[in-house]
Amino acid sequence: MDRHQWGTSYAQQTLLFRNLTGGRFERVGAAPGSGLARALTGRGLSVGDLDQDGLLDVVINNMDSGPAVLRNITSRAGQWLSIRLVGDSLKKNSRDAIGARIYVTAGKIQQRKDVISGTSYASQNDLTLHFGLGSARRVDKIEIKWPDGSVQTVPATRLDRRITVMQNKGIVKD
């Protein structure tokens, strides 16, 4: 710190990368005027579907200024399903289902997501888990492994929606 003049900024332009698969990425330039083109002093990041349109949005916690909300306005590239879990406290699971695992199978692809807290420095991602399903036409299976060790399978549901699953009761909101 002593080597820098008073008032030096640590703001950085957000880096954006495209996944090329096989462990390779390429840097992509931000569109002029977009939130990604701004220099920020980000010290935390949260991800969630803020407007419930199936596209994940980002909130960046900045030092010495307000948070930056980056709303995803891209065209949707595929199908999706978001699942919120509600645990049963009588079975010693938290209501937020921290520690639960969800497996969603669509065709030959199975995805796993865990409900965890403290997902980023000074931030928390949405506890509703988002599954990108690409060109899948349906979900074949949804399996939940609750923190108490019990396993629950819920019936497949329509795509492009947010559902709530209560432990031992199934889908309560679709």
Side-chain angles (χ1 to χ4, degrees), residues 24-158:
R24 295 183 19 245
F25 297 86
E26 72 176 347
R27 188 169 175 186
V28 178
S34 76
L36 293 173
R38 293 176 41 203
L40 303 170
T41 55
R43 293 298 180 265
L45 181 130
S46 294
V47 177
D49 186 358
L50 299 176
D51 49 8
Q52 297 185 16
D53 63 354
L55 300 170
L56 294 177
D57 307 299
V58 173
V59 177
I60 300 173
N61 187 24
N62 293 300
M63 277 183 17
D64 301 325
S65 67
V69 178
L70 305 179
R71 193 169 70 92
N72 188 342
I73 57 170
T74 60
S75 59
R76 190 171 299 109
Q79 309 301 315
W80 60 277
L81 179 64
S82 290
I83 304 173
R84 176 169 162 67
L85 298 180
V86 179
D88 184 348
S89 59
L90 296 176
K91 298 203 176 275
K92 301 194 180 191
N93 291 319
S94 71
R95 182 160 171 76
D96 289 330
I98 303 297
R101 293 172 292 187
I102 305 176
Y103 298 86
V104 172
T105 305
K108 295 180 181 179
I109 306 293
Q110 182 183 66
Q111 296 181 55
R112 170 190 166 169
K113 298 226 177 193
D114 298 5
V115 181
I116 58 176
S117 64
T119 51
S120 181
Y121 174 73
S123 306
Q124 171 63 49
N125 288 338
D126 188 356
L127 294 175
T128 299
L129 302 179
H130 181 86
F131 294 86
L133 300 171
S135 61
R137 296 283 180 225
R138 68 185 192 335
V139 168
D140 299 311
K141 184 177 180 182
I142 301 170
E143 184 179 79
I144 301 158
K145 294 190 178 181
W146 296 94
D148 68 357
S150 64
V151 177
Q152 180 178 1
T153 301
V154 296
T157 183
R158 295 173 291 156

